[in-house]
Amino acid sequence: MELLCPHCRKRLTVSDDKSGQVLNCPLCNGAFAAPSLVPARRAAPSPPPRVPPPPSVPPPAPSVLWPGNQVARHDMYCVEISARIISWPAVCACCCRPRDTVIEVSSTRTTGKRVIHTETKSWNIPYCNKCLGHITAARNLQRFSMFVLHISALAILSGLLLAFLVYVLCAPGSLGWAIGLSMLVAALTAAGVAWSFRWCHEKYARDVEAKRVKREELQRVLDSLLCPACVTTDEVAARYDGWSGTIHTFYFTNFSFASLFRSSNPGKCLEDGQIHH
């Protein structure tokens, strides 16, 4: 090993077996202690960086507020009932106001392979005329279109089509005549559109305004039929999903109506496949 004399500051070479002993410098005869040789420890590998666990994502909250096998279909509450005679609440399935009419819901199933048997069962769901009315009004509003055709655009398209047909029909005989006649048709179309554009645009504006008024009227009719308690706008608030033996499956959009339905049929509704009393 090589080291410096602490007295004369000269570089010295000392054998490793004299480490830890008191030596004399051969140059200045100064005494000093040779350092001890300690085998270098191998540095322990640093632990890998700690990766924080991913944040736990809570499962989505179920849309069904009831326990058991009641699941939601399109935000509808499922009730299974084992009965041949079902009692219905005297309120509308949509808004829970007093009922004054009914609406039929049905389910059809097909059995057999060689001989096909089709069976349909239906139930009359209590409803009110206002809720039936807003279903019709909402569907009319959805089907209503604000599209209005500008007559000038129709005239331009018709003129271009006519010019193209003239060119196709006249081109085999004379290309020059075909080009000239097609250009004449296009020019006459442009002149006619320019002459009638003001009238066409005014008619277009009147038609757009009439469409807007009609749409507002449909919206007013829909708003007059809806109430804050209505749970659907354009769909029936009840579905009949079929049966198995005496067990029938219904879906209701209104949670309050579904609760009333269960209380109207005590000892008949199922939970976890069992009768709920």
Side-chain angles (χ1 to χ4, degrees):
M1 59 179 174
E2 293 185 353
L3 48 85
L4 294 176
C5 174
H7 303 287
C8 63
R9 310 300 296 174
K10 301 293 184 181
R11 185 179 298 276
L12 305 176
T13 301
V14 181
S15 60
D16 294 342
D17 57 353
K18 294 183 179 180
S19 63
Q21 300 179 12
V22 178
L23 303 177
N24 292 324
C25 176
L27 300 177
C28 68
N29 202 27
F32 64 92
S36 299
L37 294 179
V38 180
R41 291 186 178 181
R42 185 177 180 181
S46 59
R50 185 177 180 182
V51 179
S56 58
V57 179
S63 57
V64 179
L65 305 180
W66 299 333
N69 61 341
Q70 296 157 349
V71 296
R73 171 178 298 180
H74 305 298
D75 297 328
M76 301 184 76
Y77 302 97
C78 174
V79 178
E80 290 181 329
I81 181 171
S82 177
R84 297 185 182 276
I85 299 177
I86 296 178
S87 300
W88 295 94
V91 296
C92 173
C94 178
C95 63
C96 284
R97 292 179 293 191
R99 68 176 184 182
D100 51 21
T101 186
V102 295
I103 185 171
E104 184 181 90
V105 295
S106 61
S107 177
T108 302
R109 69 180 182 185
T110 303
T111 58
K113 295 183 178 179
R114 294 185 178 179
V115 180
I116 305 299
H117 298 279
T118 301
E119 186 177 3
T120 300
K121 286 188 177 182
S122 61
W123 299 89
N124 290 326
I125 307 296
Y127 238 77
C128 68
N129 285 313
K130 280 195 172 183
C131 288
L132 291 181
H134 72 61
I135 292 176
T136 302
R139 292 177 179 177
N140 290 338
L141 184 60
Q142 291 175 354
R143 289 192 295 265
F144 184 77
S145 173
M146 288 292 293
F147 176 77
V148 177
L149 180 63
H150 204 297
I151 297 179
S152 295
L154 180 61
I156 292 173
L157 293 176
S158 301
L160 293 177
L161 179 61
L162 181 60
F164 177 75
L165 291 176
V166 168
Y167 176 81
V168 171
L169 294 175
C170 297
S174 174
L175 183 60
W177 274 99
I179 295 176
L181 290 177
S182 61
M183 291 182 65
L184 177 61
V185 172
L188 292 175
T189 301
V193 170
W195 177 77
S196 61
F197 179 79
R198 181 176 180 180
W199 176 84
C200 293
H201 187 69
E202 290 176 352
K203 184 180 184 306
Y204 173 78
R206 290 193 302 270
D207 292 344
V208 170
E209 179 64 17
K211 286 275 189 177
R212 186 188 64 80
V213 172
K214 178 63 176 177
R215 182 177 181 84
E216 289 181 353
E217 177 63 24
L218 292 175
Q219 186 65 54
R220 281 195 297 270
V221 172
L222 176 60
D223 294 340
S224 66
L225 295 171
L226 284 171
C227 75
C230 292
V231 293
T232 63
T233 303
D234 59 341
E235 293 183 354
V236 179
R239 297 282 189 276
Y240 179 42
D241 203 46
W243 71 97
S244 177
T246 60
I247 299 177
H248 304 271
T249 303
F250 293 94
Y251 286 89
F252 303 111
T253 308
N254 193 321
F255 178 78
S256 298
F257 180 84
S259 300
L260 291 174
F261 176 80
R262 291 165 60 85
S263 61
S264 299
N265 296 275
K268 298 179 181 181
C269 296
L270 275 66
E271 279 190 7
D272 298 324
Q274 303 295 325
I275 294 292
H276 174 66
H277 297 280

